[in-house]
Amino acid sequence: MTRTPDAPVTLPSARKCPFDPPPEYAELRERCPVAPLELTVGPGEGAGWLVTRLSDVRSVLSDRRFSHRNELIGLPIPPPFPMTEYSPPPAAPGAFIKMDQPGHSRYRRLLTRRFTMRAVARLTPMITRLTEEHLDAMARSAGPVDLVTAFAEPLTVQVMCEMLGVPDAVREPLARHLAVMSRMHYTVQELITACTVIGETLQELVTAERAAPGTGLIGELVGEELTDEEIVNIAWALLGGGFDTTANMLALGTFALLDHPDQLALLRARPELKDNAVEQLLRYLTISHLGASRAALADVELNGVRIKAGDTVVLALPAANRDPEHFEDPDRLDITASAQGHVAFGHGEHQCIGQNLARGTLRIALPMLFDRFPDLRPATPAGEVPLRSDMLHYGVHELLVAWGEDTGD
């Protein structure tokens, strides 16, 4: 039966704990799991909706009546800079993340074989080697060091670049300009500069690969029936997604384990728990804090609420991953508990293509970090760690850590 929902809400953002989603989510999940949502800008006259229960989130993400096309979706947060009108263009050729079928599946099929569990397992020696190199560099420092810039970010950048075949000389500028796109606010000039540098750099790589294909993913793609524009946009999507997400999970996951010493001690005592620990950290932290958005292509009833064609539906992934109907004691970090069914990587045909690579990197890097520095400790009080609430993906801007003798300075 269709019910009348409450008055529109704004997207919750204020946290009381660095690891917990905003408390309004729990209230909405219980009282109004499909709630009217205020949109800051939108492509049309459609309404906004906020979905907080896991079953509803998974339902929308697996339903092709809800579109992922960029030009159809309204924003629950202000755009990065003032706009006189909001009219995002359709996805460019190759930008498969913002496409529906059949375009999405056409590009995704070309990529899937490089991101299977078996393919990622073959990358274990490379990921292990790079992790060791960064830990060696940390060990040579007197400390404290910023784990974000010394370990999490450079490791993730190198893993993705090695996989795609991006040469050393252009990795730092690519990462720096892609970081602009991960912010919630930037100027028009910053956007133009970042897009120009990224586009020109990737085009140069594609041109070089056409002349002499390498062994990376870009080299493989030049052997397919794809234009330069398609390959550039595929690489852009993979690098943009891979740089920001895994780095944030690695740094925030380390912060969470240091703040939950009982769970860290358990992980050290029982290394066989590492896979489940990673899944619990993914569920518990859910760095996609702005959720996933879809546009309704038809009228759909969801949990008794009528969603009309043209409406934007925002799926609160952090709320869904704390749903007590699915997860036992969901607000507690317990690396022995089941996290099966979480939606940290989304769900359905748009589920993150790089999820196995992210898992593989975390499963290697986190245990190696704590094995190398068994007395690793935060060098800043937990309440003073700067949080990435102002970014598209949640995490920490900086995490100072120390090890060895504590002098009390």
Side-chain angles (χ1 to χ4, degrees), residues 293-347:
S293 295
R294 299 290 187 267
L297 299 176
D299 290 359
V300 181
E301 185 169 301
L302 181 66
N303 203 341
V305 174
R306 189 173 188 80
I307 309 294
K308 295 182 179 180
D311 288 356
T312 291
V313 178
V314 176
L315 309 163
L317 304 182
N321 278 341
R322 297 292 186 98
D323 191 340
E325 290 294 317
H326 190 87
F327 304 106
E328 185 177 355
D329 200 3
D331 293 324
R332 184 168 70 93
L333 178 61
D334 178 1
I335 66 170
T336 68
S338 173
Q340 185 175 2
H342 74 73
V343 287
F345 292 113
H347 179 65

Side-chain angles (χ1 to χ4, degrees), residues 50-236:
L50 182 63
V51 180
T52 48
R53 287 185 182 171
L54 181 66
S55 58
D56 294 332
V57 166
R58 291 172 66 90
S59 176
V60 171
L61 290 174
S62 60
D63 189 338
R64 288 190 178 178
R65 293 176 296 175
F66 292 95
S67 172
H68 201 261
R69 288 161 53 195
N70 200 48
E71 71 272 22
L72 302 179
I73 297 172
L75 299 180
I77 59 173
F81 44 79
M83 299 180 182
T84 55
E85 66 176 70
Y86 178 71
S87 54
F96 66 99
I97 292 175
K98 294 296 184 180
M99 292 181 179
D100 292 339
Q101 303 299 356
H104 174 261
S105 60
R106 175 197 168 219
Y107 292 115
R108 189 159 176 133
R109 278 196 299 268
L110 295 174
L111 303 171
T112 298
R113 67 178 180 272
R114 289 300 296 261
F115 290 94
T116 63
M117 293 177 65
R118 181 174 296 180
V120 170
R122 291 195 291 269
L123 300 178
T124 297
M126 178 266 287
I127 299 172
T128 302
R129 171 179 57 82
L130 292 174
T131 302
E132 287 177 342
E133 290 175 1
H134 287 292
L135 294 177
D136 287 345
M138 282 180 58
R140 289 193 293 271
S141 168
V145 301
D146 174 17
L147 193 82
V148 175
T149 56
F151 186 58
E153 287 183 347
L155 173 62
T156 302
V157 167
Q158 286 191 302
V159 168
M160 285 298 301
C161 288
E162 291 273 333
M163 183 179 183
L164 267 72
V166 177
D168 289 344
V170 299
R171 292 178 183 181
E172 189 279 331
L174 267 180
R176 177 162 35 87
H177 288 288
L178 281 165
V180 172
M181 316 297 287
S182 70
R183 289 159 25 193
M184 289 168 65
H185 301 286
Y186 42 78
T187 67
V188 175
Q189 187 55 54
E190 286 175 324
L191 175 63
I192 292 172
T193 301
C195 289
T196 301
V197 172
I198 295 166
E200 291 178 350
T201 302
L202 292 178
Q203 178 58 62
E204 290 170 2
L205 293 181
V206 172
T207 300
E209 290 287 351
R210 287 205 185 278
T215 58
L217 179 54
I218 296 177
E220 286 190 8
L221 291 176
V222 300
E224 303 288 347
E225 294 183 0
L226 295 169
T227 66
D228 283 10
E229 182 183 18
E230 288 176 305
I231 299 173
V232 165
N233 286 323
I234 289 171
W236 192 326

Side-chain angles (χ1 to χ4, degrees), residues 145-149 250-256 258 378-380 385-386 396-401:
V145 301
D146 174 17
L147 193 82
V148 175
T149 56
L250 184 50
L252 187 62
T254 300
F255 182 24
L258 290 174
T380 304
V385 173
V396 293
H397 283 294
E398 178 185 76
L399 182 65
L400 293 178
V401 294

